[in-house]
Amino acid sequence: MNERQRARRPGGRSARVGAQVHQAVTDLIGERGYGNFTVGEVAARAGVADSSIYRRWGSLETLLTDVALTRLNAQSPMPDTGSLAGDLRTYAAQVAREITGPDGPAVLHLAVALSSSGQQGMQAGADLRAERTRQLQSMLDRARDRGEHAPDAFDVLDHILAPMYIRVLFGMELTPEYVDGLVDRML
């Protein structure tokens, strides 16, 4: 195996380092909050050299943006239950599990902090919205193809995702009944 083949191998050293660095950032955000740690502290926590982080991401801000976008966009495939109501319920429950999981609140706090931290942060927020909208649009288009009346993707963001994000950011519980109620009101 030559060097080029080794570099492309999925799950190799590069993937492990990326995962370790992402986890270190998430842990530090959870412990200290946004803006309260350095690249050196991330590197030490991840067990890598500072230079590895700078070489791959260029700056702490770029790394933080990558972590937020990667974690919030890491989704299971969009559900396809055969009905819009089923798809929305499954999707909302899936998002609720993600954002209330061990790293969910820290990643949400990071996304909010980044989106209000200058031009790069505003771009991170726009990228996140664009990806969520693209994901939702695929589900809504399937529903329309089945002849169902489907809302606009931004309505789903406003009426299902935003309330869940706000509750988690303010330390409020997300019960299955609450999540289902959001979907019921949307439909």
Side-chain angles (χ1 to χ4, degrees):
M1 178 187 309
N2 68 33
E3 194 63 35
R4 177 177 226 126
Q5 288 169 320
R6 190 179 351 238
R8 286 195 226 157
R9 186 180 50 151
R13 183 178 187 287
S14 180
R16 280 192 309 278
V17 167
Q20 290 168 313
V21 169
H22 275 222
Q23 190 60 53
V25 166
T26 304
D27 292 346
L28 287 165
I29 293 275
E31 292 168 17
R32 301 183 192 174
Y34 176 77
N36 296 315
F37 53 88
T38 65
V39 168
E41 291 169 308
V42 172
R45 175 80 58 110
V48 302
D50 296 21
S51 59
S52 295
I53 292 175
Y54 285 115
R55 187 173 39 256
R56 188 165 183 175
W57 288 280
S59 71
L60 182 58
E61 192 79 9
T62 302
L63 169 59
L64 295 174
T65 299
D66 184 51
V67 169
L69 290 172
T70 300
R71 292 290 177 109
L72 289 174
N73 283 332
Q75 300 244 349
S76 306
M78 291 304 285
D80 189 0
T81 65
S83 74
L84 179 60
D87 290 351
L88 285 173
R89 283 185 207 297
T90 301
Y91 180 72
Q94 183 177 291
V95 170
R97 278 191 303 278
E98 290 171 1
I99 64 175
T100 59
D103 298 333
V107 173
L108 279 179
H109 283 281
L110 172 59
V112 168
L114 282 170
S115 67
S116 62
S117 68
Q119 189 60 36
Q120 188 174 8
M122 289 181 358
Q123 185 59 50
D127 291 349
L128 177 58
R129 276 190 314 279
E131 180 59 20
R132 284 288 195 201
T133 301
R134 185 196 61 72
Q135 292 168 347
L136 289 168
Q137 197 60 57
S138 68
M139 177 176 42
L140 299 171
D141 288 346
R142 266 197 325 270
R144 285 187 191 96
D145 290 347
R146 289 189 300 257
E148 295 180 83
H149 172 72
D152 180 84
F154 285 107
D155 286 337
V156 177
L157 288 171
D158 287 342
H159 299 286
I160 297 176
L161 295 181
M164 290 194 303
Y165 289 174
I166 292 297
R167 285 178 80 94
V168 170
L169 286 169
F170 286 103
M172 300 167 69
E173 187 178 8
L174 273 186
T175 65
E177 296 77 23
Y178 175 79
V179 173
D180 281 347
L182 292 173
V183 174
D184 290 340
R185 286 188 291 284
M186 173 83 243
L187 295 174

mmCIF file of all heavy atoms in Angstrom, residues 30-75:
data_model
loop_
_atom_site.group_PDB
_atom_site.id
_atom_site.type_symbol
_atom_site.label_atom_id
_atom_site.label_comp_id
_atom_site.label_asym_id
_atom_site.label_seq_id
_atom_site.Cartn_x
_atom_site.Cartn_y
_atom_site.Cartn_z
ATOM 1 N N GLY A 30 -18.579 22.322 27.207
ATOM 2 C CA GLY A 30 -19.463 21.910 28.298
ATOM 3 C C GLY A 30 -18.944 22.311 29.663
ATOM 4 O O GLY A 30 -19.708 22.690 30.546
ATOM 5 N N GLU A 31 -17.632 22.257 29.850
ATOM 6 C CA GLU A 31 -17.029 22.573 31.145
ATOM 7 C C GLU A 31 -16.843 24.080 31.357
ATOM 8 O O GLU A 31 -17.047 24.577 32.459
ATOM 9 C CB GLU A 31 -15.657 21.906 31.266
ATOM 10 C CG GLU A 31 -15.714 20.409 31.343
ATOM 11 C CD GLU A 31 -14.343 19.760 31.165
ATOM 12 O OE1 GLU A 31 -13.309 20.469 31.310
ATOM 13 O OE2 GLU A 31 -14.310 18.559 30.889
ATOM 14 N N ARG A 32 -16.408 24.787 30.303
ATOM 15 C CA ARG A 32 -15.979 26.180 30.478
ATOM 16 C C ARG A 32 -16.785 27.207 29.688
ATOM 17 O O ARG A 32 -16.698 28.392 29.974
ATOM 18 C CB ARG A 32 -14.521 26.324 30.050
ATOM 19 C CG ARG A 32 -13.575 25.453 30.829
ATOM 20 C CD ARG A 32 -12.167 25.716 30.385
ATOM 21 N NE ARG A 32 -11.252 24.723 30.901
ATOM 22 C CZ ARG A 32 -9.988 24.667 30.558
ATOM 23 N NH1 ARG A 32 -9.489 25.544 29.725
ATOM 24 N NH2 ARG A 32 -9.220 23.738 31.068
ATOM 25 N N GLY A 33 -17.495 26.759 28.674
ATOM 26 C CA GLY A 33 -18.229 27.692 27.837
ATOM 27 C C GLY A 33 -17.388 28.209 26.689
ATOM 28 O O GLY A 33 -16.176 27.996 26.622
ATOM 29 N N TYR A 34 -18.044 28.903 25.790
ATOM 30 C CA TYR A 34 -17.410 29.438 24.590
ATOM 31 C C TYR A 34 -16.388 30.518 24.955
ATOM 32 O O TYR A 34 -16.631 31.357 25.799
ATOM 33 C CB TYR A 34 -18.490 30.030 23.680
ATOM 34 C CG TYR A 34 -17.954 30.700 22.437
ATOM 35 C CD1 TYR A 34 -17.528 29.940 21.366
ATOM 36 C CD2 TYR A 34 -17.878 32.078 22.343
ATOM 37 C CE1 TYR A 34 -17.036 30.537 20.219
ATOM 38 C CE2 TYR A 34 -17.393 32.695 21.200
ATOM 39 C CZ TYR A 34 -16.971 31.917 20.143
ATOM 40 O OH TYR A 34 -16.493 32.508 19.014
ATOM 41 N N GLY A 35 -15.235 30.476 24.296
ATOM 42 C CA GLY A 35 -14.229 31.520 24.461
ATOM 43 C C GLY A 35 -13.360 31.381 25.687
ATOM 44 O O GLY A 35 -12.588 32.287 25.996
ATOM 45 N N ASN A 36 -13.457 30.273 26.387
ATOM 46 C CA ASN A 36 -12.720 30.120 27.645
ATOM 47 C C ASN A 36 -11.670 29.022 27.595
ATOM 48 O O ASN A 36 -11.362 28.393 28.610
ATOM 49 C CB ASN A 36 -13.699 29.856 28.792
ATOM 50 C CG ASN A 36 -14.616 31.033 29.018
ATOM 51 O OD1 ASN A 36 -14.159 32.176 29.037
ATOM 52 N ND2 ASN A 36 -15.892 30.782 29.156
ATOM 53 N N PHE A 37 -11.110 28.781 26.400
ATOM 54 C CA PHE A 37 -10.020 27.831 26.263
ATOM 55 C C PHE A 37 -9.247 28.148 24.988
ATOM 56 O O PHE A 37 -9.712 28.905 24.153
ATOM 57 C CB PHE A 37 -10.505 26.379 26.266
ATOM 58 C CG PHE A 37 -11.590 26.092 25.263
ATOM 59 C CD1 PHE A 37 -11.275 25.722 23.957
ATOM 60 C CD2 PHE A 37 -12.926 26.196 25.609
ATOM 61 C CE1 PHE A 37 -12.271 25.469 23.029
ATOM 62 C CE2 PHE A 37 -13.924 25.928 24.693
ATOM 63 C CZ PHE A 37 -13.596 25.563 23.390
ATOM 64 N N THR A 38 -8.067 27.558 24.887
ATOM 65 C CA THR A 38 -7.163 27.845 23.772
ATOM 66 C C THR A 38 -6.973 26.599 22.908
ATOM 67 O O THR A 38 -7.342 25.483 23.306
ATOM 68 C CB THR A 38 -5.782 28.268 24.297
ATOM 69 O OG1 THR A 38 -5.196 27.138 24.985
ATOM 70 C CG2 THR A 38 -5.882 29.462 25.242
ATOM 71 N N VAL A 39 -6.333 26.812 21.764
ATOM 72 C CA VAL A 39 -5.973 25.676 20.902
ATOM 73 C C VAL A 39 -5.062 24.725 21.674
ATOM 74 O O VAL A 39 -5.205 23.504 21.573
ATOM 75 C CB VAL A 39 -5.293 26.162 19.597
ATOM 76 C CG1 VAL A 39 -4.648 25.005 18.848
ATOM 77 C CG2 VAL A 39 -6.295 26.870 18.701
ATOM 78 N N GLY A 40 -4.133 25.278 22.457
ATOM 79 C CA GLY A 40 -3.235 24.440 23.255
ATOM 80 C C GLY A 40 -3.984 23.526 24.213
ATOM 81 O O GLY A 40 -3.620 22.358 24.383
ATOM 82 N N GLU A 41 -5.037 24.052 24.829
ATOM 83 C CA GLU A 41 -5.826 23.227 25.757
ATOM 84 C C GLU A 41 -6.625 22.155 25.000
ATOM 85 O O GLU A 41 -6.756 21.028 25.487
ATOM 86 C CB GLU A 41 -6.745 24.118 26.581
ATOM 87 C CG GLU A 41 -5.963 24.984 27.567
ATOM 88 C CD GLU A 41 -6.806 26.061 28.211
ATOM 89 O OE1 GLU A 41 -7.480 26.817 27.479
ATOM 90 O OE2 GLU A 41 -6.780 26.141 29.463
ATOM 91 N N VAL A 42 -7.129 22.497 23.830
ATOM 92 C CA VAL A 42 -7.823 21.499 23.005
ATOM 93 C C VAL A 42 -6.838 20.402 22.622
ATOM 94 O O VAL A 42 -7.140 19.208 22.736
ATOM 95 C CB VAL A 42 -8.442 22.138 21.743
ATOM 96 C CG1 VAL A 42 -8.981 21.065 20.797
ATOM 97 C CG2 VAL A 42 -9.534 23.128 22.110
ATOM 98 N N ALA A 43 -5.651 20.808 22.159
ATOM 99 C CA ALA A 43 -4.638 19.843 21.736
ATOM 100 C C ALA A 43 -4.249 18.912 22.886
ATOM 101 O O ALA A 43 -4.170 17.692 22.713
ATOM 102 C CB ALA A 43 -3.410 20.581 21.201
ATOM 103 N N ALA A 44 -4.012 19.490 24.066
ATOM 104 C CA ALA A 44 -3.636 18.673 25.227
ATOM 105 C C ALA A 44 -4.743 17.677 25.569
ATOM 106 O O ALA A 44 -4.477 16.498 25.830
ATOM 107 C CB ALA A 44 -3.324 19.569 26.422
ATOM 108 N N ARG A 45 -5.982 18.136 25.561
ATOM 109 C CA ARG A 45 -7.117 17.273 25.885
ATOM 110 C C ARG A 45 -7.257 16.157 24.857
ATOM 111 O O ARG A 45 -7.594 15.027 25.198
ATOM 112 C CB ARG A 45 -8.388 18.122 25.959
ATOM 113 C CG ARG A 45 -9.688 17.397 26.162
ATOM 114 C CD ARG A 45 -9.974 16.992 27.604
ATOM 115 N NE ARG A 45 -10.001 18.060 28.561
ATOM 116 C CZ ARG A 45 -11.076 18.501 29.176
ATOM 117 N NH1 ARG A 45 -12.266 17.990 28.915
ATOM 118 N NH2 ARG A 45 -10.980 19.451 30.076
ATOM 119 N N ALA A 46 -7.007 16.481 23.572
ATOM 120 C CA ALA A 46 -7.158 15.498 22.496
ATOM 121 C C ALA A 46 -5.931 14.602 22.341
ATOM 122 O O ALA A 46 -5.990 13.595 21.640
ATOM 123 C CB ALA A 46 -7.430 16.211 21.176
ATOM 124 N N GLY A 47 -4.815 14.986 22.975
ATOM 125 C CA GLY A 47 -3.594 14.192 22.857
ATOM 126 C C GLY A 47 -2.899 14.369 21.516
ATOM 127 O O GLY A 47 -2.306 13.424 20.992
ATOM 128 N N VAL A 48 -2.992 15.578 20.960
ATOM 129 C CA VAL A 48 -2.342 15.879 19.682
ATOM 130 C C VAL A 48 -1.515 17.161 19.838
ATOM 131 O O VAL A 48 -1.659 17.887 20.817
ATOM 132 C CB VAL A 48 -3.364 16.055 18.526
ATOM 133 C CG1 VAL A 48 -4.211 14.801 18.363
ATOM 134 C CG2 VAL A 48 -4.257 17.266 18.741
ATOM 135 N N ALA A 49 -0.692 17.437 18.853
ATOM 136 C CA ALA A 49 0.111 18.665 18.868
ATOM 137 C C ALA A 49 -0.725 19.849 18.395
ATOM 138 O O ALA A 49 -1.608 19.692 17.550
ATOM 139 C CB ALA A 49 1.323 18.490 17.955
ATOM 140 N N ASP A 50 -0.431 21.025 18.953
ATOM 141 C CA ASP A 50 -1.091 22.261 18.501
ATOM 142 C C ASP A 50 -0.985 22.397 16.984
ATOM 143 O O ASP A 50 -1.933 22.808 16.321
ATOM 144 C CB ASP A 50 -0.430 23.503 19.099
ATOM 145 C CG ASP A 50 -0.524 23.610 20.601
ATOM 146 O OD1 ASP A 50 -0.736 22.596 21.269
ATOM 147 O OD2 ASP A 50 -0.372 24.735 21.087
ATOM 148 N N SER A 51 0.205 22.071 16.466
ATOM 149 C CA SER A 51 0.444 22.232 15.030
ATOM 150 C C SER A 51 -0.517 21.386 14.200
ATOM 151 O O SER A 51 -0.893 21.785 13.093
ATOM 152 C CB SER A 51 1.893 21.901 14.687
ATOM 153 O OG SER A 51 2.191 20.564 15.060
ATOM 154 N N SER A 52 -0.927 20.246 14.719
ATOM 155 C CA SER A 52 -1.907 19.406 13.999
ATOM 156 C C SER A 52 -3.231 20.138 13.852
ATOM 157 O O SER A 52 -3.875 20.071 12.806
ATOM 158 C CB SER A 52 -2.149 18.085 14.734
ATOM 159 O OG SER A 52 -0.985 17.313 14.744
ATOM 160 N N ILE A 53 -3.639 20.832 14.888
ATOM 161 C CA ILE A 53 -4.898 21.579 14.847
ATOM 162 C C ILE A 53 -4.776 22.754 13.887
ATOM 163 O O ILE A 53 -5.647 22.972 13.039
ATOM 164 C CB ILE A 53 -5.311 22.037 16.257
ATOM 165 C CG1 ILE A 53 -5.675 20.793 17.090
ATOM 166 C CG2 ILE A 53 -6.480 23.030 16.192
ATOM 167 C CD1 ILE A 53 -5.980 21.066 18.542
ATOM 168 N N TYR A 54 -3.684 23.497 13.987
ATOM 169 C CA TYR A 54 -3.506 24.640 13.087
ATOM 170 C C TYR A 54 -3.390 24.197 11.632
ATOM 171 O O TYR A 54 -3.929 24.842 10.739
ATOM 172 C CB TYR A 54 -2.284 25.469 13.499
ATOM 173 C CG TYR A 54 -2.538 26.309 14.719
ATOM 174 C CD1 TYR A 54 -1.855 26.073 15.899
ATOM 175 C CD2 TYR A 54 -3.476 27.340 14.704
ATOM 176 C CE1 TYR A 54 -2.083 26.841 17.034
ATOM 177 C CE2 TYR A 54 -3.719 28.119 15.827
ATOM 178 C CZ TYR A 54 -3.020 27.863 16.979
ATOM 179 O OH TYR A 54 -3.255 28.628 18.089
ATOM 180 N N ARG A 55 -2.707 23.094 11.393
ATOM 181 C CA ARG A 55 -2.544 22.598 10.028
ATOM 182 C C ARG A 55 -3.891 22.191 9.434
ATOM 183 O O ARG A 55 -4.188 22.469 8.282
ATOM 184 C CB ARG A 55 -1.565 21.425 10.010
ATOM 185 C CG ARG A 55 -1.183 20.935 8.645
ATOM 186 C CD ARG A 55 -0.071 19.872 8.644
ATOM 187 N NE ARG A 55 -0.132 18.878 9.705
ATOM 188 C CZ ARG A 55 0.652 18.870 10.795
ATOM 189 N NH1 ARG A 55 1.566 19.800 10.980
ATOM 190 N NH2 ARG A 55 0.527 17.927 11.703
ATOM 191 N N ARG A 56 -4.728 21.557 10.225
ATOM 192 C CA ARG A 56 -6.000 21.039 9.713
ATOM 193 C C ARG A 56 -7.104 22.102 9.670
ATOM 194 O O ARG A 56 -7.891 22.153 8.740
ATOM 195 C CB ARG A 56 -6.442 19.866 10.574
ATOM 196 C CG ARG A 56 -7.627 19.135 10.045
ATOM 197 C CD ARG A 56 -7.743 17.818 10.750
ATOM 198 N NE ARG A 56 -8.832 17.032 10.246
ATOM 199 C CZ ARG A 56 -9.075 15.815 10.646
ATOM 200 N NH1 ARG A 56 -8.289 15.247 11.531
ATOM 201 N NH2 ARG A 56 -10.089 15.152 10.165
ATOM 202 N N TRP A 57 -7.185 22.947 10.724
ATOM 203 C CA TRP A 57 -8.283 23.905 10.822
ATOM 204 C C TRP A 57 -7.846 25.356 10.647
ATOM 205 O O TRP A 57 -8.687 26.203 10.348
ATOM 206 C CB TRP A 57 -9.031 23.721 12.134
ATOM 207 C CG TRP A 57 -9.856 22.475 12.162
ATOM 208 C CD1 TRP A 57 -11.086 22.301 11.600
ATOM 209 C CD2 TRP A 57 -9.523 21.234 12.770
ATOM 210 N NE1 TRP A 57 -11.540 21.022 11.811
ATOM 211 C CE2 TRP A 57 -10.589 20.328 12.543
ATOM 212 C CE3 TRP A 57 -8.421 20.771 13.485
ATOM 213 C CZ2 TRP A 57 -10.594 19.023 12.995
ATOM 214 C CZ3 TRP A 57 -8.423 19.468 13.946
ATOM 215 C CH2 TRP A 57 -9.499 18.605 13.698
ATOM 216 N N GLY A 58 -6.606 25.662 10.907
ATOM 217 C CA GLY A 58 -6.114 27.022 10.706
ATOM 218 C C GLY A 58 -6.298 27.945 11.889
ATOM 219 O O GLY A 58 -5.445 28.770 12.169
ATOM 220 N N SER A 59 -7.410 27.829 12.596
ATOM 221 C CA SER A 59 -7.674 28.701 13.742
ATOM 222 C C SER A 59 -8.679 28.034 14.668
ATOM 223 O O SER A 59 -9.389 27.104 14.269
ATOM 224 C CB SER A 59 -8.240 30.049 13.275
ATOM 225 O OG SER A 59 -9.562 29.885 12.787
ATOM 226 N N LEU A 60 -8.755 28.546 15.880
ATOM 227 C CA LEU A 60 -9.732 28.026 16.842
ATOM 228 C C LEU A 60 -11.147 28.279 16.338
ATOM 229 O O LEU A 60 -12.011 27.407 16.444
ATOM 230 C CB LEU A 60 -9.519 28.661 18.222
ATOM 231 C CG LEU A 60 -10.432 28.168 19.340
ATOM 232 C CD1 LEU A 60 -10.309 26.664 19.541
ATOM 233 C CD2 LEU A 60 -10.118 28.906 20.635
ATOM 234 N N GLU A 61 -11.386 29.452 15.781
ATOM 235 C CA GLU A 61 -12.732 29.795 15.282
ATOM 236 C C GLU A 61 -13.186 28.816 14.189
ATOM 237 O O GLU A 61 -14.325 28.361 14.184
ATOM 238 C CB GLU A 61 -12.737 31.232 14.762
ATOM 239 C CG GLU A 61 -14.106 31.780 14.501
ATOM 240 C CD GLU A 61 -14.821 32.227 15.767
ATOM 241 O OE1 GLU A 61 -14.213 32.272 16.850
ATOM 242 O OE2 GLU A 61 -16.009 32.536 15.666
ATOM 243 N N THR A 62 -12.279 28.479 13.270
ATOM 244 C CA THR A 62 -12.609 27.528 12.205
ATOM 245 C C THR A 62 -12.882 26.148 12.797
ATOM 246 O O THR A 62 -13.816 25.461 12.377
ATOM 247 C CB THR A 62 -11.471 27.453 11.170
ATOM 248 O OG1 THR A 62 -11.263 28.764 10.639
ATOM 249 C CG2 THR A 62 -11.794 26.496 10.045
ATOM 250 N N LEU A 63 -12.090 25.739 13.763
ATOM 251 C CA LEU A 63 -12.310 24.457 14.433
ATOM 252 C C LEU A 63 -13.674 24.450 15.124
ATOM 253 O O LEU A 63 -14.444 23.492 14.991
ATOM 254 C CB LEU A 63 -11.201 24.182 15.450
ATOM 255 C CG LEU A 63 -11.434 23.002 16.401
ATOM 256 C CD1 LEU A 63 -11.629 21.698 15.641
ATOM 257 C CD2 LEU A 63 -10.283 22.905 17.397
ATOM 258 N N LEU A 64 -14.002 25.503 15.867
ATOM 259 C CA LEU A 64 -15.278 25.564 16.574
ATOM 260 C C LEU A 64 -16.445 25.505 15.584
ATOM 261 O O LEU A 64 -17.450 24.826 15.831
ATOM 262 C CB LEU A 64 -15.354 26.835 17.417
ATOM 263 C CG LEU A 64 -14.351 26.924 18.567
ATOM 264 C CD1 LEU A 64 -14.430 28.289 19.236
ATOM 265 C CD2 LEU A 64 -14.541 25.806 19.565
ATOM 266 N N THR A 65 -16.315 26.198 14.473
ATOM 267 C CA THR A 65 -17.356 26.174 13.452
ATOM 268 C C THR A 65 -17.521 24.762 12.910
ATOM 269 O O THR A 65 -18.646 24.266 12.751
ATOM 270 C CB THR A 65 -17.023 27.155 12.315
ATOM 271 O OG1 THR A 65 -16.945 28.476 12.864
ATOM 272 C CG2 THR A 65 -18.075 27.120 11.221
ATOM 273 N N ASP A 66 -16.413 24.092 12.639
ATOM 274 C CA ASP A 66 -16.462 22.720 12.133
ATOM 275 C C ASP A 66 -17.143 21.788 13.132
ATOM 276 O O ASP A 66 -17.966 20.955 12.756
ATOM 277 C CB ASP A 66 -15.056 22.238 11.805
ATOM 278 C CG ASP A 66 -15.045 20.856 11.174
ATOM 279 O OD1 ASP A 66 -15.795 20.640 10.193
ATOM 280 O OD2 ASP A 66 -14.288 19.986 11.646
ATOM 281 N N VAL A 67 -16.813 21.940 14.404
ATOM 282 C CA VAL A 67 -17.424 21.097 15.435
ATOM 283 C C VAL A 67 -18.942 21.324 15.467
ATOM 284 O O VAL A 67 -19.720 20.367 15.462
ATOM 285 C CB VAL A 67 -16.804 21.357 16.824
ATOM 286 C CG1 VAL A 67 -17.618 20.684 17.929
ATOM 287 C CG2 VAL A 67 -15.356 20.881 16.855
ATOM 288 N N ALA A 68 -19.360 22.578 15.492
ATOM 289 C CA ALA A 68 -20.799 22.873 15.555
ATOM 290 C C ALA A 68 -21.528 22.316 14.341
ATOM 291 O O ALA A 68 -22.559 21.650 14.477
ATOM 292 C CB ALA A 68 -21.030 24.375 15.663
ATOM 293 N N LEU A 69 -21.014 22.577 13.162
ATOM 294 C CA LEU A 69 -21.684 22.111 11.944
ATOM 295 C C LEU A 69 -21.692 20.591 11.868
ATOM 296 O O LEU A 69 -22.708 19.985 11.520
ATOM 297 C CB LEU A 69 -21.010 22.699 10.703
ATOM 298 C CG LEU A 69 -21.217 24.181 10.500
ATOM 299 C CD1 LEU A 69 -20.339 24.694 9.356
ATOM 300 C CD2 LEU A 69 -22.676 24.498 10.228
ATOM 301 N N THR A 70 -20.576 19.966 12.206
ATOM 302 C CA THR A 70 -20.496 18.504 12.135
ATOM 303 C C THR A 70 -21.440 17.855 13.128
ATOM 304 O O THR A 70 -22.202 16.946 12.786
ATOM 305 C CB THR A 70 -19.048 18.037 12.394
ATOM 306 O OG1 THR A 70 -18.202 18.615 11.400
ATOM 307 C CG2 THR A 70 -18.941 16.522 12.331
ATOM 308 N N ARG A 71 -21.426 18.331 14.361
ATOM 309 C CA ARG A 71 -22.260 17.704 15.392
ATOM 310 C C ARG A 71 -23.748 17.950 15.150
ATOM 311 O O ARG A 71 -24.560 17.045 15.322
ATOM 312 C CB ARG A 71 -21.882 18.219 16.775
ATOM 313 C CG ARG A 71 -20.522 17.792 17.248
ATOM 314 C CD ARG A 71 -20.492 16.306 17.564
ATOM 315 N NE ARG A 71 -19.185 15.862 17.950
ATOM 316 C CZ ARG A 71 -18.856 15.508 19.186
ATOM 317 N NH1 ARG A 71 -19.723 15.558 20.149
ATOM 318 N NH2 ARG A 71 -17.627 15.107 19.435
ATOM 319 N N LEU A 72 -24.126 19.158 14.775
ATOM 320 C CA LEU A 72 -25.548 19.442 14.586
ATOM 321 C C LEU A 72 -26.092 18.869 13.285
ATOM 322 O O LEU A 72 -27.297 18.638 13.167
ATOM 323 C CB LEU A 72 -25.814 20.946 14.662
ATOM 324 C CG LEU A 72 -25.673 21.536 16.056
ATOM 325 C CD1 LEU A 72 -25.813 23.045 16.023
ATOM 326 C CD2 LEU A 72 -26.704 20.940 17.015
ATOM 327 N N ASN A 73 -25.230 18.609 12.329
ATOM 328 C CA ASN A 73 -25.688 18.029 11.071
ATOM 329 C C ASN A 73 -25.555 16.521 11.038
ATOM 330 O O ASN A 73 -26.013 15.888 10.095
ATOM 331 C CB ASN A 73 -24.939 18.645 9.886
ATOM 332 C CG ASN A 73 -25.448 20.019 9.556
ATOM 333 O OD1 ASN A 73 -26.600 20.333 9.796
ATOM 334 N ND2 ASN A 73 -24.583 20.852 9.021
ATOM 335 N N ALA A 74 -24.900 15.947 12.028
ATOM 336 C CA ALA A 74 -24.738 14.499 12.058
ATOM 337 C C ALA A 74 -26.082 13.875 12.400
ATOM 338 O O ALA A 74 -26.501 13.858 13.544
ATOM 339 C CB ALA A 74 -23.694 14.103 13.091
ATOM 340 N N GLN A 75 -26.753 13.437 11.384
ATOM 341 C CA GLN A 75 -28.108 12.920 11.556
ATOM 342 C C GLN A 75 -28.229 11.526 10.972
ATOM 343 O O GLN A 75 -27.508 11.175 10.055
ATOM 344 C CB GLN A 75 -29.091 13.800 10.785
ATOM 345 C CG GLN A 75 -29.112 15.204 11.217
ATOM 346 C CD GLN A 75 -30.454 15.535 11.797
ATOM 347 O OE1 GLN A 75 -31.395 14.782 11.683
ATOM 348 N NE2 GLN A 75 -30.524 16.650 12.440
#
